[in-house]
Amino acid sequence: MATSDAGKHPAAEGSSLARHMKPRQLIMMSLGCAIGTGLFVGSGKGITAAGPAILVAFLIASFLVVLIMRMLGEMAAVDPSSGSISVFAQKALGRTAGATVGWLWWAQLFIVIAAEATAAASILHSLWPVASQWASALVFMVALTAINLLGVKNFGEMEFWFAVLKIGAIIVFLVIGVALLLNFIPGVPSPGFSNLHSHGGFMPNGIAGVASGLLLVVFSFGGMEIVTIAAAETPDPERNVGRAIRTVLWRIILFYVGSVLIMVTVLPWDSELLANSPFVAVLTFAGLPGADIAMSIVIVTALLSSLNANLYGASRLLFSMAERGSAPRMFARLTARSVPQLAVLGSVSFGFVAVVLNYIWPTTVLRFLLNAVGSTTIVLWSAIIICQLILRYRADRTGQRLPLRMWGFPYLSYTALAILGGVVVLSFTDAAARNQIIATFLVTAGIAVACRVAGSRSSRGESQTSVSP
């Protein structure tokens, strides 16, 4: 995995981006990044699609994401960069592949920013109807854009406390759920485990339902890759990225699978309340005074935290691509606070477009945004696996020392690739999922062609400049 010329930047990132993010901030950020729209809102939609069998989708996705994060950690520990996956793709597969992965990932984050703002505004509107959805989304976008312009130190501290709140809330939710099942809450009879097999059975919508839910589940895990972007702005990235990856792995299963198990056990999978707001629905069933309102507030905060982190990740990714010549150079400009200001503003722009969309179609925007980004994660994860295989074989041939090594290489890497291929095959059994996959592949191909053409023009321009008198 030795750094090649293709992966080098015109200026070393350590001398441009400030290394002001503390290790504790990075670790908590790695835990909190993925706890957002996917878990708090998307899990309810996944349950509607698959029923109790959504647990199968979460278990498959959890195992897969553990492997992928370990592979990503292996590469990031060697070459911590704000470009992360796009830099690894450039090193492994060339400049066109790096630019394609970079722009696709940036587009995903670009859309997720709008999805987080929409979901938070929607929940706030349900709590406080006087606050219109579009106005709340606008306030959120302005406030979090300002935070990202203040510098990584302030951003990191805010994300630390956001993550503490999110994780604390999920732990409380798990405790309440277990208390419900064990009949420890007075006046509320335990639902037992009948909801797992009644109401049409464990898999009421068949394999097609699981396949459809799997795309939503994959989206719910999206975001954890940002930790490898943030590692580039820590004092000791090689060490800290390894700590962050190790910390996050087992907690993925606890927070995600544990929360969803409580949801589908406590309430019937076809409950309308569970579909709309699963965490609030369970707490309402428990009959705890004010618990539903408190959880709704926590969820809004969690969504804003994920928005904040995704905006950070998108801006640093755009900055990295600009430094490598894969994006307009203006996005590589830094302020006195070492913030890529234009990259932040460019990355948040669609969020402000979403404010207008919320004004026009407040009930359909979130569903569209969730569907738009679900399958892009499959392409990005495929890129991670392929790049790790190539770079690891390359490192083993040269005898390079790796600070963090993938378990069971190459067998678990190929296992992850096989599982991901299975996800794609299953997705083709559902019409909506199939259309989403095909659309994503077409978009990826279009980006690749555009990047190839742009790269060829850039190379010709450089050649003409070098030979001119």
Side-chain angles (χ1 to χ4, degrees), residues 283-307:
L283 295 177
T284 301
F285 178 83
L288 301 177
D292 55 340
I293 296 177
M295 179 54 78
S296 294
I297 294 172
V298 169
I299 292 173
V300 170
T301 305
L303 294 172
L304 296 180
S305 168
S306 294
L307 189 165

Side-chain angles (χ1 to χ4, degrees), residues 34-43 112 115-116 119 219-220 303 306 366 370:
I35 303 175
T37 307
L39 180 59
F40 285 120
V41 181
S43 56
V112 168
E116 305 282 8
F219 166 69
S220 74
L303 294 172
S306 294
L366 181 60
L370 289 175

Side-chain angles (χ1 to χ4, degrees), residues 254-320:
L254 173 63
F255 293 149
Y256 276 86
V257 179
S259 296
V260 175
L261 177 60
I262 293 295
M263 293 172 193
V264 296
T265 305
V266 170
L267 292 170
W269 70 270
D270 52 0
S271 166
E272 185 176 342
L273 293 175
L274 195 62
N276 294 329
S277 187
F279 280 83
V280 174
V282 171
L283 295 177
T284 301
F285 178 83
L288 301 177
D292 55 340
I293 296 177
M295 179 54 78
S296 294
I297 294 172
V298 169
I299 292 173
V300 170
T301 305
L303 294 172
L304 296 180
S305 168
S306 294
L307 189 165
N308 199 32
N310 283 312
L311 175 54
Y312 165 82
S315 65
R316 282 358 185 232
L317 176 59
L318 187 56
F319 166 81
S320 172

Side-chain angles (χ1 to χ4, degrees), residues 9-274:
H9 300 180
E13 291 198 0
S15 63
S16 50
L17 292 175
R19 296 184 182 270
H20 291 161
M21 183 171 288
K22 299 176 181 178
R24 64 175 175 83
Q25 294 172 341
L26 180 67
I27 290 174
M28 290 305 293
M29 182 179 173
S30 68
L31 295 175
C33 272
I35 303 175
T37 307
L39 180 59
F40 285 120
V41 181
S43 56
K45 300 181 185 303
I47 292 169
T48 299
I54 194 66
L55 287 168
V56 175
F58 268 97
L59 285 170
I60 293 172
S62 295
F63 178 64
L64 178 60
V65 78
V66 164
L67 297 181
I68 286 175
M69 287 301 292
R70 184 73 180 194
M71 286 184 274
L72 187 56
E74 180 182 273
M75 294 184 289
V78 172
D79 187 9
S81 165
S82 62
S84 186
I85 307 172
S86 70
V87 169
F88 308 146
Q90 184 166 324
K91 290 170 60 180
L93 299 167
R95 182 171 178 174
T96 297
T100 301
V101 169
W103 279 115
L104 182 68
W105 191 13
W106 182 81
Q108 181 199 68
L109 296 173
F110 187 68
I111 294 172
V112 168
I113 290 167
E116 305 282 8
T118 299
S122 176
I123 294 173
L124 183 62
H125 177 69
S126 67
L127 287 175
W128 189 31
V130 72
S132 62
Q133 187 170 314
W134 73 268
S136 298
L138 178 60
V139 171
F140 296 153
M141 294 305 306
V142 171
L144 294 176
T145 299
I147 289 170
N148 270 270
L149 293 174
L150 290 176
V152 70
K153 184 177 181 180
N154 295 317
F155 161 81
E157 193 64 21
M158 177 163 287
E159 276 303 301
F160 174 84
W161 291 109
F162 270 151
V164 168
L165 176 63
K166 288 190 283 188
I167 292 168
I170 291 177
I171 290 173
V172 170
F173 174 81
L174 292 174
V175 170
I176 293 173
V178 171
L180 275 171
L181 296 176
L182 296 179
N183 205 23
F184 287 168
I185 298 181
V188 183
S190 171
F193 295 93
S194 62
N195 286 325
L196 291 176
H197 55 78
S198 57
H199 302 273
F202 181 73
M203 195 180 294
N205 297 325
I207 292 293
V210 176
S212 181
L214 199 52
L215 279 181
L216 288 167
V217 172
V218 166
F219 166 69
S220 74
F221 281 111
M224 283 178 286
E225 306 91 350
I226 293 175
V227 67
T228 57
I229 290 179
E233 293 188 75
T234 60
D236 186 2
E238 179 181 301
R239 178 171 176 265
N240 289 326
V241 71
R243 290 179 60 193
I245 294 295
R246 293 186 189 98
T247 301
V248 76
L249 297 182
W250 67 269
R251 301 188 189 188
I252 291 172
I253 297 176
L254 173 63
F255 293 149
Y256 276 86
V257 179
S259 296
V260 175
L261 177 60
I262 293 295
M263 293 172 193
V264 296
T265 305
V266 170
L267 292 170
W269 70 270
D270 52 0
S271 166
E272 185 176 342
L273 293 175
L274 195 62

Side-chain angles (χ1 to χ4, degrees), residues 371-391:
N371 288 336
V373 299
S375 55
T376 57
T377 300
I378 290 178
V379 177
L380 294 174
W381 285 2
S382 299
I384 291 171
I385 298 170
I386 293 169
C387 291
Q388 188 267 338
L389 284 165
I390 293 173
L391 295 177

Side-chain angles (χ1 to χ4, degrees), residues 309-354:
N310 283 312
L311 175 54
Y312 165 82
S315 65
R316 282 358 185 232
L317 176 59
L318 187 56
F319 166 81
S320 172
M321 290 194 294
E323 277 206 320
R324 287 179 284 130
S326 297
R329 286 288 302 175
M330 66 179 182
F331 292 119
R333 297 173 189 165
L334 297 171
T335 66
R337 295 176 180 266
S338 296
V339 175
Q341 179 175 295
L342 292 178
V344 170
L345 296 176
S347 299
V348 81
S349 58
F350 184 63
F352 287 100
V353 173

